[in-house]
């Protein structure tokens, strides 16, 4: 039996409810972070923030649609960002719907497309930012790591 088969034996209602809760928490966190002005969007912009001030980053979202799966450069960037986040104890998740993410974050200016393949959430100031959605997602990530799912996939709510 493979690891994937073992993971598939989870109780479906429990994992579905857990996934929906995480998706809702991510939605709330993105909106809250955007209001606070502590959201960084874009692979290159995120890499700059991670390089300059990794201690201030609290959460990372990697997003890719099916057509992005064949983009080798993007996948290499994802691998490097994942490694950096794991090394610096930054919780990280994957989302499979960039369009849904764009609807939540609301890019604002439609003439200039924004890269939403990587989104970082930072502390707005020196004090630890206490957001209930961030705490839920941190617990979700911790539970996922306990079953060797280092970068869990989250489905955003409709």
């Amino acid at each position: 039996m493979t690891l994937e088969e073992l993971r598939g034996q989870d109780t479906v209602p429990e994992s579905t409810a857990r996934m929906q809760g995480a998706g809702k928490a991510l939605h709330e966190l993105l909106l809250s972070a955007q209001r606070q002005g502590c959201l960084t969007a874009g692979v290159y912009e995120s890499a700059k923030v991670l390089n300059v001030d990794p201690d201030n980053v609290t959460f990372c979202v990697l997003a890719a649609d099916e057509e992005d799966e064949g983009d080798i450069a993007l996948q290499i960037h994802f691998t490097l960002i994942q490694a950096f986040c794991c090394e610096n104890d930054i919780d990280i998740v994957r989302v499979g719907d960039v369009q849904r993410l764009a609807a939540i974050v609301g890019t604002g200016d439609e003439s200039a497309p924004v890269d939403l393949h990587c989104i970082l959430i930072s502390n707005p100031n020196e004090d630890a930012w206490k957001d209930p959605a961030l705490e839920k997602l941190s617990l979700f990530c911790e539970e996922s790591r306990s079953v060797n799912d280092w970068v869990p996939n989250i489905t955003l709510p409709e």
Side-chain angles (χ1 to χ4, degrees), residues 14-75:
E14 180 183 318
S15 62
T16 301
R18 185 172 166 263
M19 185 67 67
Q20 288 173 343
K24 186 175 182 214
L26 180 59
H27 183 269
E28 293 168 8
L29 179 63
L30 290 169
L31 292 175
S32 177
Q34 190 174 34
R35 279 191 304 271
Q36 295 280 333
C38 51
L39 190 128
T40 302
V43 173
Y44 296 109
E45 293 81 359
S46 296
K48 286 184 221 172
V49 170
L50 287 170
N51 186 42
V52 173
D53 194 11
D55 294 334
N56 224 15
V57 177
T58 59
F59 201 79
C60 178
V61 179
L62 297 178
D65 290 323
E66 284 185 29
E67 62 265 10
D68 294 325
E69 296 300 323
D71 186 344
I72 301 301
L74 182 62
Q75 296 307 317

Side-chain angles (χ1 to χ4, degrees), residues 43 50 60 62 71-87 92 94 117-118 151:
V43 173
L50 287 170
C60 178
L62 297 178
D71 186 344
I72 301 301
L74 182 62
Q75 296 307 317
I76 290 170
H77 290 329
F78 278 4
T79 301
L80 294 171
I81 290 169
Q82 286 174 23
F84 191 90
C85 288
C86 288
E87 179 106 358
I92 182 169
R94 275 188 174 251
H117 289 107
C118 183
V151 184

Side-chain angles (χ1 to χ4, degrees), residues 124-137:
N125 55 32
E126 299 277 327
D127 300 328
W129 182 39
K130 298 296 180 197
D131 186 291
L134 179 60
E135 291 177 17
K136 285 180 191 175
L137 284 168

Side-chain angles (χ1 to χ4, degrees), residues 97-117:
D97 191 350
V98 177
Q99 298 303 322
R100 180 71 187 122
L101 199 57
I104 293 169
V105 174
T107 57
D109 184 14
E110 298 301 322
S111 63
V114 176
D115 175 15
L116 295 175
H117 289 107

